[in-house]
Amino acid sequence: MTKKIALLAGDGIGQEIVAEAIKVLNCLQQDFGFNAELETAAIGGAGYDQYGKPLPDETLALCEQADAILFGAIGGPQYDQLERELRPEKGLLNLRSSLALFSNLRPAILYPQLANASSLKSELVAGLDIMIVRELTGGIYFGQPRGIRVLDNGERQGYNTMLYAEHEIERIARSAFDIAMLRDRRLCSVDKANVLEVSELWREVVSRVAVDYPDVELEHMYVDNASMQLVRAPRQFDVIVTTNLFGDILSDTAAMLTGSIGMLPSASLDQNGKGLYEPVHGSAPDIAGKNMANPLATILSLAMMLRYSLEQSELASVVETAVGKVLDQGLRTADIADGAASVSTSEMGGAVTAALRVLGQR
Ligand code: NAD
């Protein structure tokens, strides 16, 4: 059956980078026999401009029907004065919660050609390929009660609650084990079970789920140690699964290991593997409209979509190989050029498409 892909370019550089991913999709359709129906819709500031709200009903309906969503970026200074509910960011948050996208995948891959961009010594990070699976809809960011209260002595006290029900732990654990099965079959579950009861339960449930995945090697690690190991010897990890709070922090640390924000894709999946795929970066208003944004994070997000939502692992690898070839050729957008000559957004997208065509002829 033909798959349906919703394309939500959004604001700022979102339009430019998604246009390059569409070139790649068209090439996959023409040269690789890939079959998909593509449909675009407005979100974020663009949704507000066209329909008066950041997640228009038409956009939500399209995303509900689609098998996968490719998202560019949202936001811009012209929307900063709007009331909170109308701001572009709300469009993305509402979309994530409407579609129950609880499993956030943040790969940290260091292309050998860019090893110098890392904040760590290249021998520590060359060949780095980690996948962090972060629980996205629960934990301390959503737990009740929360707030700031006044104590009897008049002093104010802030409080939040880290809550995880067994079913929430079980579904993120399954999502992570499934991903580990598609990779090197090693999973590290990160918690703080030596101090937090919620982590004790997390560890127990993850261990229980592991019984269904005998081919995956499971390890547990405390979050303080995990943060240390990520910068000491990051290549020891294959897949990391963790809570919303710990994942927020660890995935940003892992991102730094790779150097450039313009290279980092991500995905958020629901229980059935349907997903929203997007670059980690925002709408970059400082370079929007200048044809200088790096489209590779978006193109790599498309590769993730092929692998995790559309059961097209081989095509995903072909797209990733094409990106590697373009980097081998020495092509760099300004953000990864390290001051040397750079190519434009459209030239980079065109080069990936050309590399794909060559791979398609083999
Ligand atoms: P940003 O990620 O947009 O930009 C940070 C810096 O990285 C800027 O200097 C930018 O030029 C550069 N950069 C980002 N993406 C790049 C790319 N593909 N190629 C080259 N350089 C790139 O973060 P910000 O400046 O903090 O936020 C700008 C707007 O984006 C805000 O409105 C913010 O709310 C929004 N935002 C949206 C998302 C999202 O859509 N998921 C995420 C983060 C921020």
Side-chain angles (χ1 to χ4, degrees):
M1 212 173 71
T2 307
K3 300 285 187 182
K4 188 170 195 162
I5 302 176
L7 301 165
L8 312 184
D11 308 320
I13 60 167
Q15 299 290 336
E16 300 160 58
I17 53 180
V18 169
E20 301 312 310
I22 293 174
K23 279 188 197 166
V24 170
L25 271 168
N26 289 337
C27 179
L28 293 177
Q29 306 230 51
Q30 284 157 15
D31 294 14
F32 291 84
F34 175 61
N35 200 2
E37 191 187 319
L38 312 181
E39 207 171 315
T40 57
I43 192 155
Y48 174 77
D49 290 340
Q50 278 183 46
Y51 299 93
K53 49 184 180 175
L55 178 58
D57 299 343
E58 293 80 351
T59 304
L60 179 58
L62 170 65
C63 293
E64 280 169 350
Q65 292 158 16
D67 296 289
I69 301 145
L70 186 67
F71 183 93
I74 38 118
Q78 68 273 44
Y79 305 110
D80 285 351
Q81 305 312 319
L82 290 173
E83 63 177 273
R84 196 161 288 279
E85 280 305 304
L86 296 177
R87 286 202 203 145
E89 292 72 16
K90 202 67 190 166
L92 179 57
L93 292 175
N94 287 349
L95 184 59
R96 283 186 185 143
S97 61
S98 302
L99 299 180
L101 303 172
F102 67 91
S103 176
N104 185 219
L105 276 49
R106 291 268 304 257
I109 298 171
L110 187 67
Y111 281 85
Q113 301 90 335
L114 303 178
N116 287 337
S118 174
S119 50
L120 294 191
K121 291 189 206 108
S122 55
E123 61 264 30
L124 283 181
V125 287
L128 183 79
D129 183 355
I130 304 176
M131 176 70 80
I132 298 191
V133 180
R134 167 189 171 194
E135 200 291 325
L136 199 60
T137 55
I140 197 163
Y141 290 174
F142 294 93
Q144 296 286 349
R146 61 190 295 160
I148 298 173
R149 59 192 164 204
V150 181
L151 300 175
D152 289 346
N153 66 3
E155 189 188 3
R156 289 188 307 155
Q157 183 185 52
Y159 58 101
N160 290 85
T161 313
M162 192 187 278
L163 296 177
Y164 273 112
E166 285 182 282
H167 78 273
E168 292 175 295
I169 306 170
E170 174 155 353
R171 67 182 183 179
I172 191 72
R174 287 199 183 279
S175 181
F177 276 108
D178 286 341
I179 286 157
M181 287 295 288
L182 293 173
R183 294 174 46 101
D184 202 30
R185 303 189 173 191
R186 290 182 294 117
L187 178 63
C188 177
S189 172
V190 171
D191 61 38
K192 190 69 186 167
N194 50 344
V195 178
L196 303 175
E197 287 79 359
V198 58
S199 277
E200 239 176 85
L201 183 68
W202 176 280
R203 195 173 272 224
E204 187 191 312
V205 175
V206 172
S207 302
R208 195 168 74 207
V209 173
V211 175
D212 294 339
Y213 295 86
D215 294 336
V216 177
E217 187 189 312
L218 172 68
E219 173 190 19
H220 298 280
M221 197 178 278
Y222 297 135
V223 63
D224 40 347
N225 186 23
S227 71
M228 204 162 68
Q229 295 301 329
L230 261 181
V231 291
R232 193 188 71 85
R235 281 181 309 200
Q236 71 184 280
F237 296 108
D238 176 27
V239 181
I240 292 175
V241 62
T242 191
T243 61
N244 204 342
L245 172 65
F246 300 157
D248 193 2
I249 299 164
L250 294 181
S251 61
D252 274 7
T253 306
M256 270 318 292
L257 303 178
T258 70
S260 172
I261 194 166
M263 295 294 301
L264 294 170
S266 77
S268 305
L269 305 181
D270 76 1
Q271 192 124 27
N272 304 312
K274 170 174 173 163
L276 174 95
Y277 295 82
E278 55 176 324
V280 164
H281 61 72
S283 58
D286 52 334
I287 57 167
K290 295 184 178 162
N291 196 19
M292 62 186 284
N294 187 345
L296 295 181
T298 313
I299 291 172
L300 292 168
S301 299
L302 172 61
M304 288 185 78
M305 174 194 289
L306 291 163
R307 179 170 291 119
Y308 294 113
S309 285
L310 303 181
E311 291 162 12
Q312 296 280 355
S313 279
E314 273 181 33
L315 280 189
S317 301
V318 172
V319 172
E320 288 159 356
T321 303
V323 169
K325 297 253 177 228
V326 166
L327 295 175
D328 282 342
Q329 290 161 23
L331 296 186
R332 306 280 187 271
T333 43
D335 58 310
I336 51 173
D338 206 12
S342 58
V343 299
S344 67
T345 309
S346 47
E347 284 167 336
M348 184 58 107
V352 174
T353 313
L356 267 179
R357 291 233 152 83
V358 173
L359 291 167
Q361 281 157 10
R362 286 200 185 143

